[in-house]
Amino acid sequence: MKEDRIPKIFISYSWSSDALVLELAQRLVSHGVDVVLDKWDLKEGQDKYAFMERCVNDPEITKVLIICDKVYAQKANDRTGGVGDETVIISSEIYGNMKQEKFIPVIAEKSEDGKPYVPTYIKTRIYIDLSDPETYEIEYEKLLRNIYEKPQFTKPKLGKMPEWLDEEKTDFFQLKDLIRQIRGSNTDNKRKSCISRFQITHIEVLKEYIEKNASPERVYEIFLNTKPVRDFFLEFVETLAETGTDYAEIIAEGFETMYNQLTCIKTFEPNANSASQDDLDIFKIYIWELFICVIAFMRHIKDYAAINEMLTYTYFLETSIFGGAIKPNNYTAFRHHSRIIEECYKPKTEMKNKYTLMGDVICSQREKLPIYTGEAIAEADLFLYQVCNAYELSENEQSWHKAYWFPTCYVYVKNMPIEWEKMKSRRYCDKMMVLFGVDSLEALKTVISRCTFDSKMKYPRSWDAAPAILNCIQVEDIGTLS
């Protein structure tokens, strides 16, 4: 039905349902339905049979309501009276017309044993039941929705085939099944077991993506193929958050294990005595993107305690490709610049003029709706840069590199993260205290004062550097509003 079209209906009934029909017709009219009713539209001197036939066959009448009570059913079955005449007309239309949904039985009366009175010729049709006062409103809404073709339940838009079904290299069924088991676990022990098995299986699946001496083009192609695995891990994170467990700590430990296993050549070749960092670059790219997406999810559900745990957690990470050199570090160790893709592959492609190929691809080709939009991913990446100085990570950890997070995707951010301007509200500052791990407004101002603009945080050809928190709010404005 077109949005601007007024629905027009005809009501077929027996005198025994006069009161119900008149009330129903009046209510339908009040709801914008053009009702054709003999009491209103059949004038003295007109042919009743011709009126009925015209109404039933009129193409502008989109629905014909057949009000079924004991008298109507009996007359329809016996083909007697005016009801009998209408029955002849309607039944011929029902049996001969493909658009049979035009005719809607409406139950006005039931027998003593609860069976509706329905004429034989429409006995098998789904009906609207207005005979019970307790369910009248529900059934009336169903009728109104039917008339307007606005069903309460609509078939969802056809989606795309899951990407993992087309993956030849790896079977993802076990990952999917373990997520289902975590959701359905009825004991803590079973849930913990399934969580552990998922993390182990996730790494085993990722190990299948190693390809030694791969060309830069092939490394890029392999990264694109990791999206189904990433999406399963994000479903795993969402599932953990729903269970009410301390999911941030579980995920943080998972990142530590993932990094240590997938950036060590001994995981793949236990007896290896030579290796290239380039062979494991795909896993550093994957972990970097995955960390950003996890933060995007936590920002989406506004779980700032979980974000604080992820960003202040001490990660004991391997510093050698051959393993055995674990040192404490912070989340900035997961930040990764792929030399293979950005410096070796990108210049040979039509994307050579982009500031970043990796930033472009994860914001435009790696969305997982509705949560992980390109904008949400870009914002999370910028967010990780903006909060970095607030935690003073370089002073708290024995890092093997300078603690900073360059926001690769900042050039794709359309809107500034909403958290900073909202800090003008004292009430909202309570949430930000949780994020930064402080317990007073003054302490919050102190940590925010460290989040200053750095003009060097930009791409070489870019005019604009990544904005800092203090580009969005002044320290003196924090907590000034109620």
Side-chain angles (χ1 to χ4, degrees):
M1 179 181 294
K2 295 180 180 179
E3 293 297 324
D4 58 350
R5 182 176 174 183
I6 297 173
K8 188 174 184 180
I9 71 164
F10 169 64
I11 301 180
S12 173
Y13 68 103
S14 167
W15 59 267
S16 50
S17 290
D18 267 0
L20 179 146
V21 169
L22 190 57
E23 181 182 347
L24 175 62
Q26 290 170 338
R27 191 173 186 189
L28 287 172
V29 169
S30 74
H31 285 135
V33 180
D34 184 2
V35 177
V36 178
L37 188 67
D38 60 356
K39 288 186 183 303
W40 297 337
D41 299 287
L42 182 60
K43 307 302 180 184
E44 292 81 358
Q46 290 183 326
D47 187 302
K48 186 176 182 181
Y49 184 89
F51 170 77
M52 296 173 188
E53 186 171 30
R54 185 175 68 253
C55 290
V56 171
N57 292 301
D58 187 348
E60 293 201 358
I61 290 181
T62 55
K63 303 288 180 182
V64 175
L65 307 189
I66 305 170
I67 309 300
C68 305
D69 62 7
K70 184 176 181 179
V71 173
Y72 190 98
Q74 186 175 344
K75 288 187 174 184
N77 291 336
D78 295 342
R79 299 292 197 269
T80 59
V83 171
D85 294 336
E86 289 182 47
T87 298
V88 171
I89 299 168
I90 294 173
S91 60
S92 64
E93 280 292 305
I94 287 177
Y95 294 132
N97 192 333
M98 290 296 290
K99 198 172 181 181
Q100 297 178 11
E101 64 270 16
K102 177 176 181 177
F103 302 92
I104 306 173
V106 177
I107 307 304
E109 186 181 3
K110 291 181 180 177
S111 64
E112 291 182 359
D113 57 0
K115 292 182 179 179
Y117 289 111
V118 186
T120 303
Y121 73 98
I122 53 170
K123 201 162 191 176
T124 60
R125 289 181 164 268
I126 297 174
Y127 53 75
I128 300 291
D129 186 0
L130 298 183
S131 66
D132 186 348
E134 292 186 5
T135 59
Y136 186 95
E137 292 303 322
I138 296 173
E139 293 293 305
Y140 176 77
E141 181 184 342
K142 283 167 60 177
L143 174 61
L144 198 61
R145 286 183 174 278
N146 187 300
I147 292 170
Y148 275 101
E149 297 178 10
K150 299 287 184 183
Q152 184 175 5
F153 304 103
T154 57
K155 186 176 181 179
K157 182 185 285 187
L158 190 65
K160 297 180 181 179
M161 179 184 74
E163 293 166 298
W164 56 270
L165 286 178
D166 209 24
E167 175 65 46
E168 297 178 358
K169 197 169 185 178
T170 311
D171 180 6
F172 299 117
F173 175 78
Q174 195 172 0
L175 290 176
K176 189 177 183 68
D177 187 58
L178 284 167
I179 291 173
R180 188 183 298 113
Q181 289 187 54
I182 294 169
R183 284 199 175 111
S185 298
N186 51 17
T187 66
D188 286 342
N189 287 339
K190 182 178 179 181
R191 182 165 53 252
K192 289 176 182 177
S193 174
C194 291
I195 290 171
S196 176
R197 285 162 54 202
F198 179 92
Q199 291 177 312
I200 292 169
T201 304
H202 174 242
I203 292 174
E204 289 301 311
V205 168
L206 284 171
K207 284 163 64 176
E208 296 293 322
Y209 287 85
I210 190 169
E211 195 170 307
K212 296 188 70 175
N213 303 314
S215 67
E217 181 180 5
R218 178 60 182 154
V219 173
Y220 178 70
E221 182 183 345
I222 293 171
F223 172 68
L224 294 182
N225 291 340
T226 63
K227 185 176 183 296
V229 192
R230 187 209 67 174
D231 289 352
F232 276 118
F233 191 90
L234 295 178
E235 285 187 39
F236 167 70
V237 172
E238 293 168 29
T239 301
L240 289 187
E242 292 169 4
T243 64
T245 57
D246 187 5
Y247 73 104
E249 183 175 359
I250 293 171
I251 296 166
E253 291 174 352
F255 269 97
E256 181 180 83
T257 303
M258 196 190 322
Y259 186 94
N260 289 340
Q261 291 196 30
L262 295 176
T263 63
C264 176
I265 195 64
K266 299 280 185 146
T267 299
F268 307 92
E269 298 178 12
N271 299 319
N273 52 26
S274 65
S276 168
Q277 290 284 358
D278 289 350
D279 292 336
L280 303 180
D281 194 70
I282 183 66
F283 302 114
K284 291 185 178 181
I285 299 171
Y286 177 86
I287 292 169
W288 162 68
E289 180 199 32
L290 188 61
F291 194 86
I292 294 172
C293 288
V294 168
I295 299 303
F297 169 71
M298 291 176 174
R299 287 187 69 239
H300 176 77
I301 63 172
K302 297 180 174 56
D303 192 342
Y304 295 111
I307 296 176
N308 176 273
E309 187 152 7
M310 293 292 294
L311 303 191
T312 60
Y313 190 87
T314 300
Y315 298 91
F316 289 86
L317 304 177
E318 289 281 6
T319 61
S320 169
I321 193 172
F322 296 104
I326 291 179
K327 290 184 179 180
N329 214 285
N330 55 70
Y331 79 89
T332 63
F334 300 132
R335 153 81 189 134
H336 182 64
H337 170 77
S338 176
R339 182 191 65 83
I340 298 175
I341 291 176
E342 299 287 9
E343 297 169 26
C344 299
Y345 174 63
K346 187 183 75 172
K348 299 176 182 179
T349 71
E350 59 184 15
M351 292 87 79
K352 61 185 177 183
N353 292 324
K354 290 185 179 295
Y355 289 122
T356 163
L357 176 54
M358 290 309 304
D360 183 80
V361 74
I362 72 170
C363 291
S364 64
Q365 298 182 42
R366 310 275 287 184
E367 291 185 318
K368 182 178 185 293
L369 302 177
I371 296 175
Y372 310 93
T373 64
E375 177 68 13
I377 293 171
E379 279 187 24
D381 188 26
L382 178 60
F383 176 93
L384 287 167
Y385 157 67
Q386 291 178 322
V387 301
C388 191
N389 289 340
Y391 294 109
E392 294 187 306
L393 299 173
S394 59
E395 296 180 14
N396 294 335
E397 306 290 350
Q398 302 171 9
S399 306
W400 70 82
H401 68 288
K402 183 181 178 181
Y404 77 97
W405 184 282
F406 180 77
T408 300
C409 305
Y410 83 90
V411 291
Y412 298 97
V413 173
K414 298 174 184 175
N415 302 302
M416 195 64 63
I418 62 171
E419 288 87 346
W420 315 139
E421 189 171 352
K422 282 191 171 185
M423 284 194 295
K424 291 178 181 177
S425 163
R426 287 195 296 274
R427 185 173 299 177
Y428 195 80
C429 284
D430 291 340
K431 295 180 181 180
M432 295 299 97
M433 289 179 201
V434 173
L435 171 64
F436 293 107
V438 296
D439 57 8
S440 70
L441 189 60
E442 288 307 310
L444 178 63
K445 290 181 178 180
T446 298
V447 298
I448 296 300
S449 68
R450 297 197 288 262
C451 301
T452 56
F453 178 72
D454 184 351
S455 61
K456 296 179 181 178
M457 280 290 176
K458 65 178 182 178
Y459 287 101
R461 293 179 290 108
S462 174
W463 287 100
D464 299 319
I469 293 177
L470 290 179
N471 287 110
C472 309
I473 189 171
Q474 299 300 310
V475 172
E476 55 268 25
D477 292 333
I478 295 175
T480 56
L481 303 177
S482 57

